[in-house]
Amino acid sequence: MSKVIVVIGAQWGDEGKGKIVDLLAERFDVVARYQGGHNAGHSVKVGDKSYALHLIPSGIIHPGKTCVLGNGMVIDPIAFFAEADRLAAQGLSVTPERVKVSSRAHLILPYHRALDHTSEERLGNEKVGTTLRGIGPAYEDKAGRRGIRVADAMNPEVLRSRIERNIEDANIIIRQYRGTELKPAEVFAEIAPLAERMRAFVTDTTHFINRAVREGRSVLVEGAQATLLDVDHGTYPFVTSSSTTSGGVSSGLGLPPQKISGVLGIVRTYSTRVGEGPFPTEMLGGEDEIGQLIRERGHEYGVSTGRPRRCGWFDAFATRYAAEINGFDTVALTKLDILDALDEIKVCVGYRRGGEDCESFPAVSQELREVEPVYETLPGWRTSTEGMTELDDLPKAARDYVDFISERIGVPVGLVSTGPERTQTILVRDSALAGWLEP
Ligand code: IMP
């Protein structure tokens, strides 16, 4: 039986998926992405080299693996080749044999970026805090049935006429709000050669991946962004525009749900969020100092945008919701060592609003802003866990913290990460994850 394992961030992103996906990628034949675009940012450290990945799946770091950019993605050809060239300059092989771009994926073009900027400016204080990469406008075009797909771009005349038509529309907004406009001929002149260069990478990835599964090859599916940024299940409207949860895998790759053999949640031992939007456990006011400490210790600055991330306590209530939506079989707990410096650690175990316990995760952002987190306080361990590789070596308080999280979110822990290096990892024996790592 072929193995198809999905890896998904359980919070608002930046849970440390990069390292875990990289660890797993070694044992899989194909690594695929199913949603999002270059709004993502994984950093993967291997020895003294560090690779920043935005669009290309992490499998690229491992020789012999095939990387799939699925139909559910939005692909900026400028960003794609900038990343491919950068990785190639670092010595990786980024060839059409190894990288398959779906003919059904949608393109992000310069007018999407301009529209993203315009939309954020218009929203002012209510802005989403997007990565300004054009992600939302590209998905709007897709849903509005005027998007330009990779396959369309393979025909220069189709590309030219679609660009003309779409820019005509986009300019109405851009002109009004920014006083400038885009020139279709210039955009076409920039994109056409890149589309031509992309031709060799273009594949019917739906067929490719289903065949791979039929032939018994293993597939690692790499989620980007995270559960609470999902367009349906996240903290709408402060979300990204794609289906980031495990339900998105089937549509974003054309892979039937029965083919998925397991779902791994990536759960960081504290919370962060970039951009705007409700964040119940955010460390503010008197706790700002702890937030700063975590930001510095955890290097909590965006890989894609360099923005400082907002930091907060672990939110078991939100993560339990994430486990419910995704069906996590097991979770990888990341960045445990970042908490080594704390005297005590709070965990949010529920929300109260208007004097009542919330039964489920609120659907409305304003309600989420109003909730009061209910905390339990656990003792810190004040000793280094960095680099530990055995559960039994953890100080008792750290072990208790791990067990507490697992119990509260209702999912067994398969791995604990104690540092950025591959080796700084505790793999829980007999866990589902340990099984997936077997050949
Ligand atoms: P967009 O995806 O650029 O439209 O941004 C929408 C929201 O998702 C913003 O709050 C971004 O900060 C957030 N976001 C997008 N990509 C990532 C990511 O890879 N990590 C964390 N947050 C992200």
Side-chain angles (χ1 to χ4, degrees), residues 378-389:
L378 281 78
W381 42 93
R382 300 284 314 182
T383 170
S384 173
T385 60
E386 196 184 343
M388 285 190 175
T389 54

Side-chain angles (χ1 to χ4, degrees), residues 12-14 39-41 128-131 135 225 229 239-240 274-275 307:
W12 280 286
D14 312 305
N39 46 346
V128 177
T130 73
T131 59
I135 305 291
Q225 293 78 56
L229 293 170
V239 293
T240 191
V274 273
R307 292 183 289 180

Side-chain angles (χ1 to χ4, degrees), residues 5-46:
I5 302 299
V6 180
V7 183
I8 289 183
Q11 295 145 314
W12 280 286
D14 312 305
E15 292 90 354
K17 278 187 300 281
K19 167 178 159 174
I20 310 298
V21 167
D22 176 58
L23 265 175
L24 286 158
E26 229 167 21
R27 314 293 174 95
F28 286 75
D29 301 311
V30 178
V31 185
R33 273 191 59 186
Y34 62 98
Q35 47 71 230
H38 64 310
N39 46 346
H42 294 293
S43 47
V44 182
K45 246 184 113 195
V46 184

Side-chain angles (χ1 to χ4, degrees), residues 339 342-345 378-382 397-398:
L339 302 183
L342 302 187
D343 290 324
E344 5 185 74
I345 303 171
L378 281 78
W381 42 93
R382 300 284 314 182

